[in-house]
Amino acid sequence: MEIIYREACVTDAAELLLHIKRVGGETDNLSFGADSFNITPEREAKFIKRFHEDKRDIMLVATSGGTIVGNAVLEHERIPRYAHRATLSVTVISEFWGRGIGTRLINMLTEHARTVGTSTISLEVRCDNERAISLYKKCGYTVIGTYKRYFKIRGEYHDAVLMQIIL
């Protein structure tokens, strides 16, 4: 089935919340779980709208058959001395892993970052998430450190790998 990549729209809010709930329930490798986002579609729409108002930030979706199967976000720091930096996050539902969706979304965000003058993109990924670490390395990211006890999931601590790309 064809995958369509595009910027998220405010009309995607309810579908994005379903996507977030689904991916959050499929893995413990994310910063959230299935029930972490208890917000309304209206609040999510306001969040998406912010990406359209600040042209440096961007939120993308990947859809298949009209359903969101992937989501990616690039958000810049707001403090002037950090404003050259952005953070990246990507989710893809497990059924669509291994199809290049994450790679394409990361590359689209990276190209956008170059266009708007970003010089550094960073991210955090759970240390034992080898699949994601490999994906980020394939896209040009390097490991710059470890954040001890970054996640606490069901009472258990997990470290995160800090990664970045210099553009």
Side-chain angles (χ1 to χ4, degrees):
M1 188 166 262
E2 180 186 16
I3 306 297
I4 297 170
Y5 299 87
R6 61 175 175 78
E7 279 193 61
C9 303
V10 293
T11 56
D12 292 321
E15 176 77 21
L16 265 168
L17 291 174
L18 291 174
H19 171 78
I20 290 165
K21 184 176 183 71
R22 180 171 177 180
V23 296
E26 289 179 338
T27 179
D28 279 336
N29 289 328
L30 302 172
S31 61
F32 56 87
D35 298 322
S36 295
F37 279 85
N38 296 318
I39 63 172
T40 65
E42 293 78 21
R43 186 168 169 206
E44 180 70 4
K46 286 181 183 178
F47 181 66
I48 296 166
K49 184 178 179 195
R50 197 192 81 206
F51 286 89
H52 292 276
E53 293 169 349
D54 184 339
K55 296 301 180 191
R56 294 184 43 180
D57 295 345
I58 189 169
M59 179 187 289
L60 302 173
V61 293
T63 64
S64 176
T67 299
I68 295 173
V69 298
N71 173 236
V73 172
L74 182 77
E75 286 186 273
H76 287 80
E77 297 287 342
R78 301 294 182 242
I79 298 170
R81 290 185 178 191
Y82 302 154
H84 63 284
R85 301 183 341 205
T87 57
L88 175 142
S89 61
V90 177
T91 61
V92 177
I93 61 173
S94 62
E95 178 185 339
F96 284 80
W97 289 355
R99 298 187 190 186
I101 295 169
T103 302
R104 176 88 183 267
L105 288 168
I106 292 167
N107 289 338
M108 290 173 74
L109 291 181
T110 303
E111 184 56 35
H112 175 79
R114 280 189 177 97
T115 301
V116 299
T118 308
S119 63
T120 306
I121 304 173
S122 63
L123 60 92
E124 302 85 26
V125 59
R126 209 168 120 163
C127 281
D128 58 355
N129 189 350
E130 294 175 16
R131 183 182 192 108
I133 293 168
S134 176
L135 166 66
Y136 295 127
K137 284 181 177 179
K138 180 175 86 170
C139 292
Y141 286 77
T142 57
V143 174
I144 60 169
T146 302
Y147 192 122
K148 298 290 187 185
R149 294 184 167 207
Y150 187 82
F151 297 97
K152 187 174 183 183
I153 303 167
R154 291 184 289 286
E156 185 178 336
Y157 290 104
H158 302 274
D159 298 343
V161 172
L162 306 174
M163 300 182 79
Q164 76 175 175
I165 188 170
I166 305 295
L167 303 176

